[in-house]
Amino acid sequence: MAMSKYLDVFRFSVRDQTAYLPAFMARNLFFVVILFVFFSLWRVVFAESGVIAGFTIVQTLWYLTFTEAIELSRSSVLQTVQADVKDGTIAYDLTRPYSYVVFSLARGVGEAVAKLALVLVVGFVVATVFVGPLPGYFSALPFGVLVIFGGIVLNVLWHLVIALLAFWTEEVMPFHWILQKLVFILGGMFFPIEFFPDWLARIARVLPFAFSAYWPARTMVAFSFDGFLVAVVGQAIYIGVLLALALGIFALAKRRVHAHGG
Amino acid sequence: MKPQHATSAVASAVSVRSLRKEFRTKQKLPGLGAAFRSLVHPSIRTITAVDGVSFEVERGEILAFIGPNGAGKSTTIKLLTGILYPDSGEVRVLGLDPHRERRALAYRIGTVFGQKSQLWFHLPPSDSFSLLAGIYDIDRERAKRRIEFLTEVFGIGDLLTTPVRKLSLGQRIRCEIAASLLHEPEILFLDEPTIGLDVVVKERIRDLIRTVNREDGVTVFLTSHDAGDIEKICRRVMVVNHGRIVWNGSVNEMKYTLLNRRIVSLKLEAPLVFSMEGVEIVKSKGYAAKLEVDLTRVTIESVVSTLLRENKIVDISIAAPPLEEIIASIYGRTEAPVDGEQTTDGDE
């Protein structure tokens, strides 16, 4: 019964997004531009050799499609929670019979899933037009969907943790920018971690940032069951750690609500 | 001066004893030097938001809790709903300690706070109702019956499928109050429920609050700046200022005993001829006049009999001053306590 209320929040959050989807659809133009720019870039790079670090141009562009799809479908949980903290309205959520952290997580994941569905469809069409279909797409899809979902949950949790820091710093966007750059670079947002020097790739693969971008995309473009298991287990561990962190920060932060009178 | 309200511990929905809450806030002094100094040696201001307050609210009562901005209303409501914990004193709401048993209390109270809507902006109210039913663990069948009942009482049948963003403010408030009653709370906390509404809609909301109180037996704890809300909905009013309760009694008692003044309005056959100790002629123009009578100095009976003796009166009415004036006068005569606010140096 306790979990079902959060599933309801997730469900209604997906539904709530339908009002924003036309505007979001327009923003997908940006997605098409990114894919075009990278397609042009990779075409030059791959002209010399057909395969780099085990990846073909088809795999590399599809890889970017998936990492960007996760990034572009990010929820507004960071802005919402930060605003709740800054204007004090978070206090009123304490009078409801739910955990604010889990409620915000469910709402954020619902929002991101609704956006993701649309971005994946756009990505599928655009990547197919640019480089042709991805070999093994449909056989990897059931596993890929699971870890792409895991990547989204991780992103929402990161944003939640950062937004809750507003209890101390009020403005949290700098933390967000730092995280975003870490995911861009160490998380393998723009290209697979295999393109890094070996020593850096070994480190980057186990960092949490890779489980938001690299591992879900790799599961789709270079599927192996072992790789999928690493992705799932890694995501489960980092989701657990970040959820515990968010709950811990919120427990501490509640005392700040008290100190400032809401 | 302050009448004691008859209460019973068993019947109490809310029981508050010697409640006290202070806030300590860092002061930002002007200038760069002061900014650096405050990093090492911050200046802290202590504000007593609630200062030894005691009161009871009976079950089924409609109580107005009023005061100027910064008087301690909001802090008191936050203490009652478990958002804040008291520095000292005791709070019991429906027999529960709000801060320690906040989750259990959440199932038994309803809240409507203007700053935080519980309706989802892009979804129709029916969706928010379904979601709230899930949040409050109400089973589907019970939720359906309850939504039907509230839809009928609040007259919101034709609004249920319209996205909340397309509702007028009055329609939205009706849906907000209905949403807060979905889980059949025993106490309803309403923060400024009629603010920004036009006269007709205000009247409708007031009617609904009275109906809910009568039909469901819900205790209503209401804050408002609108004298009409207080006069038309509430039987009892509690005025808080500088963290202290400065009036706790019935609305009628407040009107008739707090300010010993009456307004006498006259229509005459000839211009007014009148002079009396304790009576001020507020307005006299042509064949109409308005007098203000100080009942501590003269009785209304002697004023009226003198008026009748010396003038030919067509019409006369005697009224208490408007509630707004009474409330403003209560605020005005309660000065800040000397120890209510102090500045100290030290760590937060």
Side-chain angles (χ1 to χ4, degrees):
Chain A
M1 198 73 175
M3 272 315 291
S4 70
K5 66 177 73 172
Y6 301 111
L7 286 175
D8 282 346
V9 174
F10 168 80
R11 211 156 45 86
F12 281 99
S13 178
V14 171
R15 201 138 141 200
D16 191 41
Q17 282 309 303
T18 54
Y20 296 103
L21 283 185
F24 183 66
M25 191 76 186
R27 285 220 314 262
N28 273 328
L29 270 178
F30 177 64
F31 186 33
V32 178
V33 172
I34 292 176
L35 287 180
F36 177 73
V37 169
F38 273 83
F39 166 64
S40 307
L41 181 72
W42 290 131
R43 206 168 42 175
V44 176
V45 174
F46 277 90
E48 299 254 325
S49 59
V51 176
I52 299 174
F55 282 80
T56 63
I57 185 169
V58 176
Q59 283 176 306
T60 309
L61 195 79
W62 275 92
Y63 175 92
L64 185 75
T65 307
F66 292 115
T67 55
E68 276 296 329
I70 295 172
E71 171 61 18
L72 288 176
S73 55
R74 66 177 177 272
S75 72
S76 58
V77 73
L78 180 79
Q79 290 79 4
T80 313
V81 173
Q82 185 187 15
D84 280 355
V85 173
K86 279 167 91 170
D87 63 21
T89 51
I90 198 167
Y92 301 118
D93 283 285
L94 300 178
T95 65
R96 310 267 175 237
Y98 54 61
S99 153
Y100 179 78
V101 169
V102 185
F103 177 91
S104 300
L105 174 65
R107 191 177 55 187
V109 172
E111 183 188 338
V113 162
K115 289 176 175 175
L116 181 78
L118 197 65
V119 180
L120 282 179
V121 171
V122 173
F124 181 86
V125 174
V126 176
T128 305
V129 168
F130 286 160
V131 292
L134 175 71
Y137 179 94
F138 291 103
S139 55
L141 195 61
F143 304 97
V145 163
L146 190 68
V147 283
I148 287 173
F149 180 76
I152 275 178
V153 175
L154 266 178
N155 273 353
V156 174
L157 278 169
W158 271 119
H159 289 159
L160 200 48
V161 166
I162 288 172
L164 289 172
L165 296 178
F167 275 104
W168 291 272
T169 62
E170 292 212 1
E171 187 50 61
V172 297
M173 287 318 280
F175 298 115
H176 168 62
W177 292 323
I178 292 169
L179 170 77
Q180 202 179 33
K181 300 319 168 262
L182 285 169
V183 175
F184 281 2
I185 299 163
L186 292 172
M189 171 68 73
F190 295 125
F191 46 79
I193 285 176
E194 277 79 359
F195 288 19
F196 286 151
D198 217 29
W199 65 270
L200 183 57
R202 272 206 301 275
I203 297 169
R205 271 195 201 98
V206 294
L207 291 177
F209 319 112
F211 290 91
S212 297
Y214 167 75
W215 286 105
R218 189 183 181 277
T219 302
M220 282 302 298
V221 302
F223 181 77
S224 75
F225 195 71
D226 286 351
F228 168 70
L229 277 185
V230 171
V232 168
V233 171
Q235 285 183 339
I237 291 170
Y238 283 120
I239 285 172
V241 170
L242 285 178
L243 182 60
L245 194 61
L247 290 167
I249 291 175
F250 188 68
L252 280 177
K254 271 196 287 190
R255 295 182 200 165
R256 306 277 302 178
V257 175
H258 301 157
H260 290 283
Chain B
M1 193 71 182
K2 293 173 199 170
Q4 289 301 304
H5 198 81
T7 54
S8 137
V10 179
S12 286
V14 177
S15 173
V16 172
R17 292 272 168 275
S18 311
L19 188 64
R20 192 175 168 85
K21 180 73 188 169
E22 286 183 349
F23 295 121
R24 287 154 59 80
T25 52
K26 257 184 205 167
Q27 293 303 288
K28 300 243 188 226
L29 300 171
L32 192 62
F36 281 111
R37 267 199 308 280
S38 75
L39 286 175
V40 185
H41 200 69
S43 172
I44 306 289
R45 192 167 68 139
T46 303
I47 298 164
T48 307
V50 176
D51 190 6
V53 159
S54 299
F55 63 88
E56 303 266 338
V57 181
E58 285 178 44
R59 281 180 187 266
E61 207 180 349
I62 308 184
L63 174 88
F65 190 61
I66 63 170
N69 293 333
K73 295 192 298 283
S74 174
T75 305
T76 305
I77 289 190
K78 284 175 181 165
L79 288 162
L80 295 181
T81 51
I83 295 171
L84 299 176
Y85 66 89
D87 290 334
S88 62
E90 194 186 70
V91 187
R92 282 280 178 277
V93 178
L94 301 168
L96 299 172
D97 177 335
H99 188 64
R100 289 183 203 286
E101 299 164 285
R102 187 173 57 218
R103 191 64 70 89
L105 183 64
Y107 285 97
R108 297 176 63 188
I109 60 169
T111 52
V112 177
F113 293 114
Q115 299 98 316
K116 184 95 178 185
S117 173
Q118 52 197 325
L119 304 172
W120 288 46
F121 196 58
H122 295 290
L123 296 178
S126 57
D127 277 354
S128 290
F129 290 172
S130 302
L131 179 60
L132 284 166
I135 284 172
Y136 283 94
D137 301 325
I138 307 169
D139 66 61
R140 198 164 290 190
E141 201 44 49
R142 209 179 111 214
K144 189 167 167 267
R145 280 201 308 272
R146 185 70 179 160
I147 291 170
E148 277 169 8
F149 168 75
L150 291 170
T151 301
E152 196 186 318
V153 172
F154 283 75
I156 51 175
D158 51 344
L159 309 178
L160 283 182
T161 51
T162 308
V164 170
R165 67 175 188 277
K166 292 189 176 164
L167 299 179
S168 69
L169 181 61
Q171 291 170 331
R172 194 170 65 74
I173 295 289
R174 266 150 67 200
C175 293
E176 283 279 0
I177 299 176
S180 70
L181 292 166
L182 203 64
H183 57 290
E184 298 174 61
E186 292 158 68
I187 306 181
L188 182 60
F189 290 93
L190 294 168
D191 191 12
E192 299 278 0
T194 63
I195 198 162
L197 300 175
D198 66 46
V199 182
V200 178
V201 180
K202 264 184 193 177
E203 208 44 57
R204 177 119 199 236
I205 298 291
R206 287 167 186 157
D207 267 345
L208 288 171
I209 295 170
R210 279 193 298 259
T211 306
V212 160
N213 169 259
R214 199 176 51 239
E215 302 279 315
D216 260 11
V218 180
T219 307
V220 179
F221 195 98
L222 169 127
T223 75
S224 182
H225 280 101
D226 190 318
D229 287 350
I230 299 157
E231 210 163 7
K232 290 179 179 168
I233 312 175
C234 303
R235 282 182 286 275
R236 183 155 71 105
V237 62
M238 233 160 41
V239 183
V240 62
N241 204 4
H242 302 297
R244 291 175 183 166
I245 292 174
V246 293
W247 174 264
N248 182 3
S250 79
V251 176
N252 282 340
E253 277 173 307
M254 186 183 198
K255 280 175 72 177
Y256 288 101
T257 64
L258 188 64
L259 288 191
N260 293 306
R261 289 188 301 136
R262 292 292 178 272
I263 305 293
V264 179
S265 301
L266 300 165
K267 277 190 183 158
L268 307 137
E269 283 185 2
L272 178 71
V273 181
F274 183 75
S275 172
M276 194 173 189
E277 185 86 355
V279 180
E280 185 191 344
I281 300 172
V282 182
K283 198 168 83 179
S284 178
K285 196 175 175 188
Y287 301 109
K290 191 176 266 186
L291 315 178
E292 189 175 302
V293 181
D294 181 348
L295 298 180
T296 60
R297 294 164 69 194
V298 62
T299 65
I300 198 78
E301 187 189 2
S302 61
V303 173
V304 172
S305 58
T306 311
L307 275 168
L308 289 169
R309 203 168 48 243
E310 296 174 0
N311 294 273
K312 286 216 177 279
I313 293 171
V314 179
D315 192 10
I316 184 167
S317 73
I318 304 166
L323 195 59
E324 284 98 337
E325 269 180 35
I326 297 176
I327 292 166
S329 143
I330 296 172
Y331 294 170
R333 66 186 199 158
T334 54
E335 288 172 10
V338 179
D339 59 346
E341 202 174 279
Q342 51 189 301
T343 303
T344 55
D345 288 337
D347 299 324
E348 196 178 5

